[in-house]
Every structure is written in structure tokens, then in C-alpha cells.
């Protein structure tokens, strides 16, 4: 591992999502030693730099200037500068600026090094108590209600755990729209993670709606929603017959084989027995 910062390298630096103690030693060292920090909001990052006594110059890199800034930063990296990219909170690129710059660097053969730190999505998922072996990060749903509902319609049968970011003023509407998944679906509201008023609320979509009925949501929210219950896979008639044949060749009677397969597949025993009767007699 070369000692960093390496000239001509872009560092993607994760920063705290609330609690400054979540800043890593490595993040501080990299921000102290690069030539330039590209920040989503230089004033906001200025406070973080001040706290850690970092005096590296900053340049802004946000939604409104990233098109022109990307080529400028790539040029500076080509000239050998070491640059760190940070956003207001969490990991750059995750519902934040970063993707275009990383893509441009990758295309230009410039090294991009991760300096991992917090991300609200992963923090919320891992404390949710919902399955976190497989998950889908959806970021912010579309703001317009028709587009939002269309997106949720697509996600309705997704069986992996779903993670959404949401602005507090849209939370109640989003919860209402989530009813499309069925009000009984378990969900978790992770609010103000790592901050003074941190709250991890667990319940169902209907309970979340009830709870927020006359509450004015405030603070930062990440929503974690359980995936859809997997539906019984549709078994073809041929697959069922093959399974019956295997059981019969193991010595089970047609009736016994049907009973076993009905138990395994939750299909009606009578339907399976009809299939068993249609199998050719053993020679
Ligand atoms: N890049 C960031 C990350 O890695 O988490 C996310 C930036 S995105 C613009 C901001 C959204 O993240 C917020 O609207 C909220 O949904 C979520 N978020 C950020 N900080 C949070 C916190 N402390 N607690 C809960 N959710 C948070």
C-alpha cells in the first residue's frame, strides 16, 4: 500500500452524519495532507475542518457546478494534485455528488481511493432488525406523487429489504404511499442517527402512519422497509411429475408420494394424486 496521499489521486472521504466522533483518524490525516478539498458546501465543511484544525484549501463541488468542475478537477489530478472529495455528511456519491467525478477519473486512468466512513443507509439498515444480508438502496423517491407511486408499484414485490432517504416534510405523504405494499409490512424509521435526538422506531407501515398522524416530522429520516414475503414458486406440472417419479422409484406408493409432495409444496393433495395417477405404470 503506497503511503498516502499519493500525487494525482482522488480520495473519497466519508464524514460524520451527525456525531463528530465518527470521523476516522485516516479521514483527518487525508484531509490535512491533500492539496485541495472539493466540498459540496465549503461553509458547512469549513466547520468540520475548523473542528479538526485542518487548513487545506477548499473548492466547491455541488449539483449546480459539477459538470464544469469535473473536468477542472480531472485536469488538476492529471497535473499531480492529490484531491479529497467530501459532502455535507456521510459518504460521497450516496445520494450526494461524487459519481460523475469518480466516473471521469476512472475513464482518465486516475486512481480513486476510498476513505470509508459513515452512511445513514448502512447505519439505519444495520440497526433496523430487518434482514440485512440482501438489501436495495433506493435513495430519495421521486418528489412528484405520480412518479413516486409508480416507483413503489415496481418495488412492491421486491423481496430484499428496502432503504429510502426522505425529507421530513415529505415523510407523511411517503408513508401513505407506502401502504401500496400493504399496511402490515414491517418498517423502521431511523431518525437523527448519531445525534442527540436519535430514535429508532420499529412497527408496521400502518402503525407508522398512525404515529405520525398529527406529529410534525423534524430532523433527518432514513426508512427501512421489510421486503415482500417470497411467494411460493410456481412449479410446472413436469417438475411435479419428475418429483413424484423420484419418490415412487424410492419405493413410496402413489398415494404416499402425493401426500409427501403436497406437504412440501403446499399444493392440494388431490391435485398431486391426479398427476401421480397419470404416470405410467412401472415395468
Ligand atoms: N451521503 C449521505 C450518506 O452517505 O448517508 C446521504 C446524503 S442525502 C443528501 C441526506 C439524507 O440522508 C437525509 O435526507 C436523510 O434521509 C439521510 N440522513 C442523513 N443523515 C441522517 C441521520 N443522521 N439520520 C437519519 N438519516 C439521515
Amino acid at each position: 500500500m503506497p503511503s498516502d496521499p499519493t500525487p494525482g489521486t482522488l480520495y473519497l472521504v466519508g464524514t460524520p452524519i451527525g456525531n463528530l466522533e465518527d470521523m476516522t483518524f485516516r479521514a483527518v490525516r487525508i484531509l490535512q495532507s491533500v492539496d485541495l478539498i472539493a466540498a459540496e458546501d465549503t461553509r458547512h465543511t469549513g466547520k468540520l475542518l475548523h473542528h479538526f484544525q485542518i487548513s487545506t484549501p477548499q473548492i466547491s463541488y455541488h449539483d449546480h457546478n459539477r459538470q464544469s468542475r469535473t473536468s477542472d478537477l480531472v485536469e488538476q489530478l492529471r497535473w499531480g494534485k492529490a484531491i479529497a472529495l467530501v459532502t455535507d455528511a456521510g459518504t460521497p456519491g450516496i445520494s450526494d455528488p461524487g459519481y460523475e467525478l469518480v466516473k471521469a477519473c476512472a475513464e482518465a486512468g486516475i486512481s480513486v481511493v476510498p476513505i470509508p466512513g459513515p452512511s445513514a443507509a448502512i447505519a439505519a439498515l444495520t440497526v433496523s432488525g430487518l434482514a440485512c444480508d440482501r438489501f436495495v438502496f433506493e435513495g430519495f423517491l421521486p418528489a412528484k406523487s405520480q412518479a413516486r407511486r409508480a416507483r413503489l408499484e415496481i418495488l412492491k414485490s421486491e423481496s430484499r429489504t428496502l432503504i429510502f432517504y426522505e425529507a421530513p416534510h415529505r415523510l407523511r405523504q411517503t408513508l401513505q404511499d407506502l401502504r401500496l405494499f400493504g399496511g402490515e409490512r414491517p418498517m423502521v424509521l431511523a431518525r437523527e442517527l448519531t445525534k442527540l435526538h436519535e430514535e429508532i422506531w420499529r412497527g408496521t407501515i400502518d402503525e407508522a402512519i398512525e404515529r405520525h398522524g398529527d406529529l410534525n416530522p423534524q430532523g433527518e429520516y432514513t426508512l427501512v422497509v421489510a421486503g415482500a414475503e417470497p411467494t411460493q414458486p410456481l412449479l410446472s406440472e413436469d417438475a411435479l411429475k419428475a418429483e413424484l417419479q423420484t419418490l415412487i422409484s424410492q419405493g413410496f406408493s402413489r398415494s404416499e408420494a402425493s401426500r409427501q409432495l403436497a406437504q412440501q409444496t403446499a399444493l392440494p393433495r388431490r391435485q398431486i394424486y391426479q398427476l401421480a395417477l397419470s404416470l405410467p405404470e412401472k415395468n
Side-chain angles (χ1 to χ4, degrees), residues 153-170:
E153 195 65 60
I154 291 170
L155 295 171
K156 190 177 171 180
S157 51
E158 171 60 64
S159 60
R160 292 168 290 183
T161 302
L162 299 127
I163 309 169
F164 301 95
Y165 284 158
E166 195 48 287
H169 67 277
R170 278 209 204 97

Side-chain angles (χ1 to χ4, degrees), residues 17-18 87 89-92 94-96 118-121 140 165-167 190-195 220-222:
I17 55 170
T87 57
T91 302
I94 305 298
S95 295
D96 263 344
S119 184
F140 290 96
Y165 284 158
E166 195 48 287
R191 177 176 166 262
E192 294 283 90
L193 292 174
T194 78
K195 302 185 196 175
E220 301 207 84
Y221 284 87
T222 298

